[in-house]
Amino acid sequence: GDAPHVEKQPWSFAGPFGQFDKAQLQRGFQVYQEVCSSCHGLSLVAFRNLAEEGGPGFSVDEVKALAAEYSIVDGPDDEGEMFEREGKPFDKFPSPFPNEQAARASNNGAYPPDLSLMAKARAVTRGFPWFVLDIATQYQENGPDYLYGLLTGYHEAPEGVEVPEGQYYNTGFIAGKTLAMAPPLSDELVEYSDGSPMTTDQYARDVSAFLMWAAEPHLEARKRIGFGVMAFLILFASLLYFTKRKIWSNVD
Ligand code: HEM
């Protein structure tokens, strides 16, 4: 149909040996926290996940301090009442709105979807014959490619394209020419402390990488295991081959 052209980006986690760049995941988390989290939930990610192997690599103490900045609705207590308490590492990220109606009410009727699995949900498969190539090369970065394309896809609408009230023209959006999300990023919006460029482009890359980790937290372990499996299969296949040669060597 009318799917946008999604341009491939150079990700540190691409390819059979790709790994997440911890500093990038930390910056991407900062972008999520300071910008996206005012509208989008991350309800499948727990604070403690940020300190787990293969992720952004925050320390346990940093995660405790981070969780404590949040207020979590818990309960019911002995009187059957819900109550608020300080966040703990095992809590999931609280959603910005209590429910979908409240979310729509604050966003002109549009619903900002939860971002936990967005990098997977928007991993658009290419048509024949390209998807064959993607499978053969284990290409799985379409999700973050899409997110980057969306976040950097806001442009002036071309002559003759009608942009309805409350909608924004975007060449990266999957479901039309316009969407209800105003451009969330702009240069200098988020203050980086590691000297990385404070540009829309860099923010978009970083938060897309972070959302890939959120959707695929075991990517690094999976690649390691996959490599071990391939190495074993090659070894085992050659062992079988030489065994066969030996067993059949005196048959003529
Ligand atoms: C939709 C990401 C910030 C409001 C979306 C979608 C993504 C996304 C991936 C889904 C697009 C699709 O369906 O393909 C982000 C990221 C942000 C961010 C990474 C931070 C950098 C915000 C903010 C707001 C917002 C701050 C509110 C002020 C919305 C709304 C939609 C949406 C209302 C639904 C749009 C529609 O379906 O027409 N966002 N967002 N987003 N976002 Fe955001």
Side-chain angles (χ1 to χ4, degrees):
D2 242 13
H5 171 69
V6 178
E7 216 160 298
K8 292 187 178 193
Q9 301 300 324
W11 302 106
S12 69
F13 47 86
F17 303 108
Q19 304 279 281
F20 288 121
D21 170 350
K22 286 191 175 54
Q24 177 169 55
L25 295 189
Q26 295 202 5
R27 292 193 304 271
F29 171 61
Q30 192 187 351
V31 175
Y32 167 73
Q33 200 187 22
E34 291 182 20
V35 185
C36 326
S37 73
S38 59
C39 300
H40 292 277
L42 197 62
S43 61
L44 300 179
V45 178
F47 298 116
R48 65 177 175 76
N49 296 144
L50 295 167
E52 281 167 2
E53 191 73 28
F58 288 104
S59 72
V60 171
D61 286 336
E62 284 171 318
V63 165
K64 279 185 188 158
L66 172 77
E69 292 171 18
Y70 288 79
S71 162
I72 304 289
V73 178
D74 202 348
D77 61 13
D78 294 345
E79 273 86 53
E81 303 289 333
M82 302 302 279
F83 59 94
E84 290 202 9
R85 60 163 175 80
E86 202 171 80
K88 301 281 185 198
F90 55 73
D91 286 313
K92 305 261 169 69
F93 276 88
S95 293
F97 305 103
N99 53 52
E100 186 176 334
Q101 287 86 331
R104 287 188 188 278
S106 302
N107 287 282
N108 276 319
Y111 181 56
D114 191 272
L115 295 182
S116 309
L117 295 174
M118 193 52 79
K120 286 291 178 183
R122 292 292 182 269
V124 189
T125 312
R126 297 194 291 168
F128 188 80
W130 303 113
F131 82 89
V132 178
L133 244 177
D134 288 347
I135 291 169
T137 58
Q138 294 215 12
Y139 188 75
Q140 53 192 339
E141 287 77 56
N142 343 39
D145 286 345
Y146 172 79
L147 297 176
Y148 172 81
L150 178 77
L151 294 169
T152 57
Y154 291 96
H155 302 285
E156 189 96 34
E159 203 82 27
V161 172
E162 191 74 38
V163 178
E165 180 79 29
Q167 292 275 312
Y168 304 86
Y169 183 76
N170 188 310
T171 53
F173 186 44
I174 195 170
K177 297 269 173 264
T178 66
L179 80 166
M181 173 167 69
L185 297 172
S186 55
D187 293 353
E188 309 283 325
L189 184 64
V190 176
E191 186 78 29
Y192 280 163
S193 58
D194 68 355
S196 296
M198 302 201 292
T199 58
T200 297
D201 185 88
Q202 190 64 40
Y203 298 146
R205 284 183 203 286
D206 294 347
V207 78
S208 301
F210 171 72
L211 292 175
M212 179 64 167
W213 167 77
E216 190 73 71
H218 303 300
L219 176 143
E220 294 192 357
R222 206 163 41 68
K223 288 192 176 184
R224 250 191 326 271
I225 293 165
F227 181 73
V229 168
M230 292 312 292
F232 170 79
L233 285 176
I234 289 167
L235 216 88
F236 193 62
S238 52
L239 213 69
L240 281 180
Y241 173 72
F242 289 114
T243 306
K244 178 244 165 217
R245 293 247 307 201
K246 175 109 173 106
I247 289 174
W248 292 86
S249 58
N250 53 9
V251 176
D252 37 37

